[in-house]
Every structure is written in C-alpha cells, then in structure tokens.
Amino acid sequence: MLYDQHVDRVYRLAFRLAGEDDLARDFTQETFIRAFQRLKDFRSDSSFGTWIHTIAMSVSLNGLRKVKRFRTRESSLDDALTIGVVARRAEPDLKERLRQAIDALPEGYRTVFVMHDVEGYTHEEIATALGVQPGTSKAQLFRARAKLRAALADFAGEWVS
Amino acid sequence: MTDDDRMDALLRQMAAEEYNRPPEIVPRELMWDAIQQGIGNGEPGIGGAPATVVPLRRRVPQWVYFAVAAVLLLAVGIQVGRLMGPSRDIAQVPERSAPDSLGRDSTGAPQNDAAPITEPNQLRAEVDRSDDGKGRPKPRPDPERFTNPNGMDEGTTRAYSVAASQHLTEAEAMLTAFKGDLSQGRMDAQISSWGKDLLSNTRLLLDSPAARDPVRRKLLQDLELVLVQIVQLSPGASTRDRDFIKGALTDDQVLTRLRTAIPLQKGT
C-alpha cells in the first residue's frame, strides 16, 4: 500500500523539520490527505515517492511558518511579562549549540541541510521536492555548512583534533 | 581531508544522531485513522478510485461570496434609502379626479390651478397624474401590487430572502468544516476569518427586515452566538473551550436548523 511504503520517510522528515511529534503527525496526515485527494493529478512520469515528498515539503514548510508566526507572538508576550527577570543559564553544551545553530539557519539552508546531511536525500530529490535546481540545493547546503562551522567555531579545535 | 571537511562530517554525524531525532516507532495506525477521517472515511488505496473529497471551503464557489456581498449591499442600500427618503409614499397621496368642464373636481370643489404645490410628493403625484396626451388622466399604479402589508415591495423582500438563504447556506458549510476540524482537534486559521465574515453578515441580517420572520430571527441569533465563540477561539484553545462550542452547536441544533432553513436547490 502506498501509505505503508512512504509514511515512515515522510514522518521522519516532518519530525526532523518540526521537532515535535504532534506537528510531525499533523504534517504527515495533511500530506497524505492532500495526496489522496489529488491522486488524479498525479502523473506517473515521476515516482509517487518524489511526488509525495513535494507535497510533504509544501505542507511542512507552510505549517512551520504558521507555527513560527504564532510562537513569535506568544514569545513576545512572554518576554513582555518577564522583563526585569535576569535569566541565568548554564552554558549550553555542544549538542544544544548544534541544535540552536541549525534552528538559526535560514529556512532554505536548514531545509536542505536536514534533508541532505541528516536524512540522506540526494540533491535531485531535494530539488524536485522544493521545486529548485539541483545546483541551488548544492549551493544552499554549502552555505548552510559554512554557517554551522562559523557558529560552532569555538568547538572546532576539540572536534578536529 | 581538510579541517572543514572533517568538521562537516562530524556535524553531519552529530546532527543525524541528535537533531530532532524522530522516535523509533512511527505512529502509523494513529495517523492512518486521522487520514481516513480527513478524507471522509474513503478508502484511498492503490489503484482504487481517487478520493474526490474536496474541502468544504472550496465547495462554495468564489462568486457566491461576491453575490452574497452584492445582495447584502443592495439590501442595506435600499433600506437606508427608504429610511432617509420622504416618509409619505406616492400611493398615500389622495387621488384627485380630473376637473370637469367647470373646473371642479368630483367633490364639487373648484380646482385651483394656481394653488401652490408645496409637498414634494404632491408634486410627484401631480406629475404622475398628468394626462397621457389625449386629455385622459394617466392610469396610476395599484399600490397593492407593489407593496406588502409591511410596507416593503416584493422585490426587496425577495432580495432579503435570497440574501438570508445564501448566508445560511454559507454558514452551514462553514460550521460543517469547523465541526470536522473540531473532531480532529485543530483549528484552521481560514475558518476563523471565514467566521468573522459570517458574523458581520449575520449581524447585518439581524438588523434587516430578513429577521422579521421569528423563526429565522431565532436561528440568526443562535448562529451569531456560535460564530462569536468560533471567532474568539484561539488556535491553542483548550479542549474544554472546543467542547463548549460543540455543545452550543449540538444543544441548539444549529446545524440541523440551518439545513432545514436552507431551501432545496436544483440538483441537490
């Protein structure tokens, strides 16, 4: 069944991008609902997997933009309520710094980095799913890695040694 | 291998292991249930007929919104015109018969052609009463033909009725979509903006002659209440808030009453 063949990969990618089970489930469900509703539009000149990943990326990125807008509003309210409270945080460790650095990447860079370096998609698959040229995907990955290296430069010494 | 390459490899490895790591077990069944609900319990399996469920929002063509808006605008315009226009209607001007050869009317009172006509309506009545070029008075329209006991002409009454029906149709579509979202525990932002539009139109209709019908008025009032709750529902609202709206929908049977109030259309 199409669902069983593709659901794991779609869910994994959605989870990597969203970071939450609820959102990942929502995005996956929405992806399959849209796909089944538009099955008649599916042309067999590309594989179903490629097609469903195109839908998945559209659903996930749009969904994340909405969530981000909503959370930005919420956090600005929270900030307003906690003005004057000095937060004392421990220095985040490497994993946390890496997470923050990836989260801080521009959307396009982060998407390509997650798809290629984390989930192992090829540049051709990424290009089709995002509707860009493979060269664009490669360029964005290159820039994403450069930004991550810069963000984590203070750890570079201990890593490469 | 350069330092950058080594660092990239390490970053890649660490990101794959740590960054938003998905759970080992994918909740396939849970998602499949929701998907089935989402596509209207249709079996969308391989090779099967493609599910043709279209979101309710899209079932209502764009032109319907424009039509509803136009009709409402027209209805409001007519009503405003009526309120601001002269209070006396042409039909209320006492009819005077044509003067006889002695210049008297049917009551025997002499016709005073030089008498000033001060009332605008009277002037209009005089114009209307002018002869048809052959010395005969022009026939006057029968007021009963155009006015109903409420003082509104049939065309306006029909316009309000059509506007109300279209509005109720749209409200039914929106509430059905909302109920679907509710059962999935989510809230589409479009529903909220749709609800706002509907709420404004409901209030307009409540203030219009379309709400003179007591049954329709009660329905519009209940609809307004439900819409207010939907519009105020935030995306992160608690289950209790959602249940509250669900209760309002169920207890007052708003959806059932809406469906009953919507006239059957051709092809349905």
Side-chain angles (χ1 to χ4, degrees):
Chain A
M1 193 177 174
L2 287 175
Y3 175 74
D4 290 331
Q5 277 175 21
H6 299 281
V7 66
D8 287 6
R9 213 162 173 229
V10 170
Y11 173 81
R12 280 181 64 88
L13 180 58
F15 196 100
R16 290 284 195 186
L17 290 170
E20 288 175 27
D21 180 52
D22 280 353
L23 280 177
R25 279 206 323 246
D26 278 353
F27 295 160
T28 309
Q29 286 159 201
E30 183 77 28
T31 298
F32 278 94
I33 289 169
R34 284 198 194 180
F36 289 139
Q37 284 171 348
R38 295 179 191 170
L39 262 184
K40 61 178 181 299
D41 300 333
F42 169 59
R43 290 180 306 213
S44 51
D45 51 355
S46 65
S47 78
F48 183 80
T50 308
W51 184 63
I52 204 159
H53 273 88
T54 309
I55 299 174
M57 289 315 298
S58 166
V59 167
S60 302
L61 294 178
N62 281 329
L64 284 173
R65 280 180 210 129
K66 283 183 197 167
V67 171
K68 194 176 173 186
R69 274 201 297 273
F70 181 67
R71 286 184 182 161
T72 307
R73 279 206 301 272
E74 270 193 336
S75 62
S76 52
L77 184 65
D78 290 345
D79 291 347
L81 292 172
T82 54
I83 284 173
V85 179
V86 180
R88 287 190 65 191
R89 285 185 189 169
E91 185 64 22
D93 65 0
L94 181 56
K95 288 173 191 171
E96 182 59 20
R97 283 279 301 276
L98 176 64
R99 191 187 64 76
Q100 287 173 357
I102 297 173
D103 283 344
L105 288 174
E107 183 185 280
Y109 295 1
R110 176 174 169 267
T111 307
V112 172
F113 178 80
V114 167
M115 288 183 85
H116 188 277
D117 278 6
V118 179
E119 279 299 299
Y121 287 77
T122 63
H123 283 297
E124 283 69 28
E125 286 174 315
I126 297 169
T128 312
L130 298 178
V132 296
Q133 294 296 316
T136 309
S137 170
K138 286 176 191 171
Q140 289 195 325
L141 180 65
F142 178 81
R143 289 182 196 128
R145 285 176 178 167
K147 273 188 173 287
L148 289 178
R149 282 196 304 270
L152 301 166
D154 45 339
F155 289 95
E158 46 184 284
W159 280 14
V160 290
S161 60
Chain B
M1 197 182 225
T2 63
D3 283 355
D4 281 356
D5 291 340
R6 254 176 283 176
M7 193 166 171
D8 283 347
L10 281 164
L11 278 174
R12 203 159 46 231
Q13 189 189 342
M14 187 174 265
E17 284 169 6
E18 302 295 338
Y19 183 71
N20 292 345
R21 192 174 180 169
E24 295 298 323
I25 299 166
V26 176
R28 286 181 173 196
E29 297 300 319
L30 199 66
M31 289 192 289
W32 179 243
D33 289 343
I35 290 166
Q36 278 187 312
Q37 273 187 356
I39 55 174
N41 297 321
E43 273 292 335
I46 311 169
T52 53
V53 179
V54 178
L56 278 164
R57 174 79 171 148
R58 288 191 202 136
R59 275 191 198 157
V60 185
Q62 192 80 23
W63 64 266
V64 172
Y65 300 125
F66 289 113
V68 170
V71 170
L72 280 172
L73 194 67
L74 185 67
V76 170
I78 290 169
Q79 189 60 24
V80 168
R82 284 182 167 275
L83 289 171
M84 294 181 71
S87 56
R88 286 173 64 197
D89 196 83
I90 297 168
Q92 291 171 340
V93 176
E95 189 166 1
R96 289 158 66 185
S97 60
D100 60 15
S101 59
L102 295 173
R104 294 175 304 191
D105 65 14
S106 59
T107 59
Q111 280 275 338
N112 186 5
D113 287 337
I117 298 168
T118 51
E119 291 285 329
N121 281 334
Q122 204 176 341
L123 177 63
R124 233 187 307 163
E126 289 295 331
V127 171
D128 280 351
R129 206 166 56 83
S130 62
D131 65 29
D132 61 358
K134 292 177 186 172
R136 288 175 302 193
K138 214 164 139 184
R140 309 189 79 195
D142 178 8
E144 288 301 317
R145 225 178 110 201
F146 293 101
T147 57
N148 67 13
N150 290 330
M152 286 178 56
D153 64 63
E154 278 179 23
T156 312
T157 312
R158 200 174 298 130
Y160 278 118
S161 188
V162 168
S165 295
Q166 286 183 338
H167 175 69
L168 294 178
T169 307
E170 202 189 337
E172 190 252 335
M174 182 265 172
L175 288 180
T176 310
F178 172 74
K179 218 174 158 188
D181 274 8
L182 211 59
S183 62
Q184 289 172 38
R186 62 178 189 181
M187 174 77 180
D188 191 342
Q190 278 188 326
I191 296 264
S192 185
S193 66
W194 195 3
K196 276 179 198 162
D197 294 343
L198 284 171
L199 182 60
S200 315
N201 289 345
T202 306
R203 284 172 172 162
L204 277 174
L205 281 171
L206 269 170
D207 292 335
S208 79
R212 279 189 186 155
D213 176 6
V215 178
R216 191 187 281 157
R217 183 171 188 78
K218 180 78 176 68
L219 179 56
L220 286 170
Q221 284 170 339
D222 289 346
L223 178 62
E224 186 195 15
L225 193 65
V226 172
L227 289 173
V228 167
Q229 292 176 64
I230 291 172
V231 166
Q232 289 177 347
L233 191 71
S234 63
S238 65
T239 317
R240 197 164 150 262
D241 292 337
R242 289 164 192 273
D243 287 345
F244 193 58
I245 299 178
K246 210 172 179 178
L249 272 173
T250 317
D251 296 345
D252 295 336
Q253 296 186 314
V254 176
L255 259 177
T256 316
R257 283 160 59 208
L258 273 174
R259 284 170 186 148
T260 315
I262 297 165
L264 280 178
Q265 291 168 0
K266 279 180 186 174
T268 54

